[in-house]
Amino acid sequence: MNLPQILSKLKIEQLNTMQLKVMEVFNAGNDVCLLSPTGSGKTLAFLLPLIKQLQHGVSGVQALILVPTRELALQIETVFKQITTDFKINSCYGGHAYKTERNNLSQAPAVIVGTPGRVADHLSSGNFKAFNIRLLVLDEFDKSLEYGFAGDMSYILARLPENKQSILTSATGIDHVPDFVKLSDPKELNFLEDKGTSSKLRQKIIFHHEADKNEKLFKLLCKIGNQTAIIFCNYRDEVNAVSDYLIDKDLVHDIFHGGMEQYERERALLKVRNGSNQILITTDLASRGIDIPEIRHVIHYQMPKTEEAFIHRNGRTARMQSDGDAYLFLTADEQIDYLKPNMEQENLDANSKRPKDPCWKTLHINAGKKNKINKIDIVGLLINKTELNKDDIGLIEVKDYDAYVAVKRNKVDAVLRSVTDEKIKQKKIRIEPAI
């Protein structure tokens, strides 16, 4: 498959300068140390040259991609599958069924993407062999170090062949690459010069008192209207408190933080992707390495402690060719060293109406790939058993043991009445709203 065909499948017109440079340097046989901001397209930058070097007829794992978070592993797996190569990829991460992963690895994939802890577990248990791995990606390496994965990565890399070719990526500068990484005369590609201050990003201050902070947040969300927004808090408890306030206001939203179960976190991101939720309240866990589309508005409900965290949060908007807004909630006497002087103040005096509920709503189906169910089966059921047409059905995502489908919100009640006790491929299924 040539590059124009791949870009067509991904609905991308052309690669950016960074992606083209990575392909050029890696295809020339060099190790690469890529420094590039959040949202700049690093995933595609390393996947394209990696796929080009995969070989048919080679048994065992050929490429290993180590990432700091489960969400990033799933994102990379999704992009790889969208390219639709003949090569198999499997993801491995904590919170995913270990037995399922072990079974998947029994027929060795060409590519494994996973978190260092889980990959180290599989490697030490002999669930896959490392002797044919010639391609290594350490994605978001700085975050992996921050999360304490140095020991697991050292264990894994010590067992890889010496003649591997590596790509290390980071959204921040790295003062020192640990010796266990063993890069061979790496070429550093640094695209961090703008420090994330995109000219397409508008930053505005909202001054508040503690007593009126939530009220001003609600006014801002009303002014934003039906556009995507991500609200950053510093702590899980604050995420939950803001969520409780928006529940009282009957405003559709979801939360995302490290204290949630993995399936809850995946479901929250899925509902942002399919448009059935336009507001996500989160900690800095969502500032990097998650699979959600372009966010139009970033809201710093609580300001981060460091400029680096501020940059990563803002990286969720004004990406690639788009523009975006960042709103900074500050008290009158609050001093933040890394902020620009004389920033514009957002006007919330306008009497904006409460946003409408998103036009989509997500339904959950208790069957998935392991039941031999695919997207076509789900579309067929909904069209044949309900009054839906194709325009009433949105994004469908099929997991191992369940599936999710976005349906026009005003059609959901009728759908649920029509699909009681139905079957797909002889399996009785249950369809219900994804809470």
Side-chain angles (χ1 to χ4, degrees):
M1 184 181 300
N2 58 38
L3 183 58
Q5 290 174 316
I6 292 174
L7 297 183
S8 176
K9 286 182 177 294
L10 297 173
K11 297 182 172 60
I12 296 174
E13 291 186 6
Q14 60 184 12
L15 298 178
N16 62 33
T17 302
M18 178 271 291
Q19 292 164 336
L20 291 170
K21 189 63 177 178
V22 173
M23 290 183 64
E24 174 190 338
V25 174
F26 194 75
N27 288 339
N30 299 292
D31 283 358
V32 177
C33 183
L34 171 63
L35 309 178
S36 192
T38 299
S40 56
K42 292 191 291 294
T43 297
L44 204 56
F46 65 72
L47 277 184
L48 291 176
L50 181 148
I51 288 172
K52 183 176 181 180
Q53 296 200 34
L54 295 177
Q55 300 177 20
H56 290 96
V58 174
S59 62
V61 181
Q62 299 183 52
L64 177 62
I65 306 171
L66 296 179
V67 298
T69 66
R70 311 161 184 177
E71 287 77 19
L72 186 52
L74 290 168
Q75 174 185 334
I76 293 169
E77 181 184 25
T78 298
V79 174
F80 187 97
K81 289 180 176 179
Q82 287 174 341
I83 297 174
T84 59
T85 70
D86 295 330
F87 298 102
K88 179 184 175 185
I89 185 172
N90 284 130
S91 58
C92 304
Y93 51 89
H96 192 217
Y98 185 86
K99 182 178 179 180
T100 299
E101 292 180 354
R102 185 183 62 201
N103 291 340
N104 289 338
L105 294 175
S106 65
Q107 298 293 323
V111 182
I112 292 177
V113 54
T115 52
R118 181 54 67 91
V119 171
D121 284 347
H122 285 298
L123 184 57
S124 64
S125 299
N127 296 333
F128 74 93
K129 305 297 183 184
F131 57 82
N132 271 334
I133 295 178
R134 295 292 185 269
L135 303 166
L136 171 68
V137 177
L138 301 175
D139 193 22
E140 300 283 10
F141 182 70
D142 57 326
K143 184 62 70 172
S144 291
L145 292 177
E146 180 183 328
Y147 283 2
F149 286 130
D152 292 318
M153 289 191 291
S154 178
Y155 172 84
I156 295 166
L157 270 57
R159 285 151 182 80
L160 301 185
E162 289 291 333
N163 60 337
K164 65 184 180 300
Q165 188 178 357
S166 304
I167 298 181
L168 182 154
T169 85
S170 176
T172 61
I174 299 178
D175 295 331
H176 171 69
V177 176
D179 292 340
F180 68 77
V181 178
K182 297 179 182 178
L183 296 178
S184 176
D185 190 24
K187 305 299 181 183
E188 181 178 291
L189 304 178
N190 191 339
F191 292 85
L192 294 175
E193 288 81 2
D194 62 1
K195 297 194 71 179
T197 54
S198 167
S199 61
K200 297 177 181 294
L201 175 66
R202 295 177 292 270
Q203 299 184 31
K204 303 178 183 180
I205 291 177
I206 297 174
F207 287 112
H208 69 89
H209 302 287
E210 285 305 316
D212 66 3
K213 190 173 185 179
N214 282 340
E215 179 184 353
K216 288 195 171 183
L217 174 64
F218 182 70
K219 285 184 177 180
L220 175 62
L221 293 173
C222 290
K223 185 172 183 178
I224 286 172
N226 289 96
Q227 298 185 61
T228 53
I230 187 165
I231 303 171
F232 281 105
C233 302
N234 291 340
Y235 307 103
R236 300 172 186 176
D237 288 347
E238 197 69 32
V239 169
N240 294 331
V242 174
S243 176
D244 289 342
Y245 176 79
L246 295 188
I247 289 172
D248 290 340
K249 290 292 186 180
D250 197 26
L251 205 59
V252 174
H253 68 280
D254 263 305
I255 64 173
F256 182 89
H257 59 65
M260 300 166 61
E261 296 290 339
Q262 179 62 21
Y263 80 89
E264 295 175 313
R265 286 158 56 177
E266 290 182 19
R267 186 175 291 190
L269 299 183
L270 181 148
K271 287 194 279 184
V272 175
R273 287 196 295 270
N274 67 22
S276 59
N277 173 33
Q278 295 169 320
I279 301 172
L280 185 68
I281 313 168
T282 181
T283 61
D284 284 332
L285 182 65
S287 64
R288 299 167 63 182
I290 62 172
D291 183 18
I292 54 176
E294 176 73 15
I295 298 292
R296 184 64 179 80
H297 304 276
V298 167
I299 301 172
H300 300 275
Y301 183 81
Q302 292 178 305
M303 293 298 296
K305 305 300 182 184
T306 67
E307 182 179 14
E308 179 181 320
F310 183 66
I311 291 170
H312 289 313
R313 288 182 179 187
N314 289 337
R316 299 255 50 114
T317 191
R319 306 169 77 173
M320 307 296 279
Q321 304 303 316
S322 302
D323 56 6
D325 298 299
Y327 303 94
L328 289 56
F329 275 71
L330 296 169
T331 59
D333 59 351
E334 194 169 358
Q335 299 294 322
I336 308 290
D337 294 339
Y338 55 76
L339 296 182
K340 298 176 181 178
N342 304 318
M343 292 176 64
E344 178 184 354
Q345 185 172 342
E346 177 68 11
N347 179 12
L348 295 178
D349 293 336
N351 187 21
S352 304
K353 295 181 179 179
R354 178 188 174 281
K356 297 178 180 179
D357 289 343
C359 66
W360 298 101
K361 188 168 182 175
T362 302
L363 298 181
H364 173 254
I365 301 172
N366 66 332
K369 296 176 184 175
K370 299 300 183 182
N371 307 107
K372 309 300 183 184
I373 289 174
N374 57 39
K375 295 179 182 180
I376 296 174
D377 299 322
I378 294 170
V379 171
L381 172 72
L382 293 177
I383 289 180
N384 293 330
K385 298 296 182 179
T386 71
E387 296 181 357
L388 296 183
N389 57 51
K390 288 186 177 181
D391 292 337
D392 296 321
I393 303 172
L395 184 68
I396 299 173
E397 295 193 30
V398 183
K399 309 292 186 181
D400 284 343
Y401 296 102
D402 55 3
Y404 298 88
V405 54
V407 172
K408 286 291 179 64
R409 188 172 290 266
N410 61 354
K411 302 290 182 71
V412 165
D413 290 342
V415 168
L416 295 177
R417 288 194 298 268
S418 301
V419 294
T420 303
D421 298 326
E422 290 295 337
K423 293 182 178 181
I424 299 181
K425 291 183 175 175
Q426 306 306 311
K427 175 177 173 57
K428 187 175 180 179
I429 61 167
R430 184 176 68 254
I431 302 181
E432 58 191 0
I435 304 302

